[in-house]
Amino acid sequence: MSTQAHQSPLWMPVLITVAILFSFALACGMPFAGLAAIAAITLAPRNAFVLSALGWLANQIIGFGFLGYPLDAMTFAWGAALGLSALTATGAATFILNKTNNAAKLLQWGSAFMAAWVAQQATVFAASLVLGGTATAFAPSVVWFIFWTNALAFFVLLAAQQLGARAGVARPLLA
């Protein structure tokens, strides 16, 4: 079990709210890897997966409910692929945290973020081979944009965690 298993019950709603704000700000471009890494770092593994699934669900509600995503098979398929990518990112971050348990916290956190990002992107790439869109989705400028928005989200969520710890709604990570 994660050492962060005793988070306040308010922490997951805080993370979901921040993720939803990112989703709106980025026109539904949810930073799944950043969210997955923070979830793995700050929550028990089961809750990290629940949070990633809720982040994906919020993203889909925003896309279909507010941004007018088309109601067709391809859009639903991509939605499912993104859900799988969010869960894969969470699994990768959780795995790395378990394997680097004795490493310095900053190394653990950076490794968890990179593992989440690589796993999320690998899942999307695999889906694109089936669903199409590989050339445009993996242009260097697009990959760079996805990386830096996820990194930004990761650092914003980490800062939110630190503020949450000071406010008593999150457990301090550096004891």
Side-chain angles (χ1 to χ4, degrees), residues 32-48:
F32 290 115
L35 181 63
I38 286 295
I41 290 167
T42 62
L43 298 169
R46 178 184 176 277
N47 290 341

Side-chain angles (χ1 to χ4, degrees), residues 4-21:
Q4 289 77 25
H6 302 292
Q7 286 286 11
S8 163
L10 295 175
W11 182 233
M12 278 182 61
V14 167
L15 283 175
I16 285 294
T17 300
V18 173
I20 288 169
L21 292 174

Side-chain angles (χ1 to χ4, degrees), residues 59-148:
N59 177 262
Q60 297 304 293
I61 290 169
I62 291 166
F64 289 106
F66 296 97
L67 299 177
Y69 279 15
L71 301 174
D72 60 32
M74 184 61 72
T75 307
F76 291 133
W78 271 109
L82 290 175
L84 180 61
S85 79
L87 295 175
T88 302
T90 305
T94 300
F95 177 81
I96 290 297
L97 287 171
N98 288 333
K99 291 297 181 189
T100 61
N101 196 30
N102 294 325
K105 291 296 179 195
L106 294 178
L107 178 62
Q108 278 187 295
W109 300 343
S111 298
F113 169 74
M114 287 305 297
W117 186 76
V118 168
Q120 195 267 335
Q121 287 297 289
T123 305
V124 171
F125 182 77
S128 73
L129 295 175
V130 175
L131 300 174
T134 305
T136 56
F138 289 92
S141 61
V142 173
V143 172
W144 175 246
F145 177 78
I146 292 169
F147 177 79
W148 80 258

Side-chain angles (χ1 to χ4, degrees), residues 11 14-20 22 30-39 42 51 149-164 170 173:
W11 182 233
V14 167
L15 283 175
I16 285 294
T17 300
V18 173
I20 288 169
F22 263 103
M30 177 73 77
F32 290 115
L35 181 63
I38 286 295
T42 62
L51 178 72
T149 56
N150 274 277
L152 176 64
F154 176 72
F155 287 113
V156 167
L157 290 166
L158 192 57
Q161 193 285 328
Q162 295 299 311
L163 291 173
L173 294 178

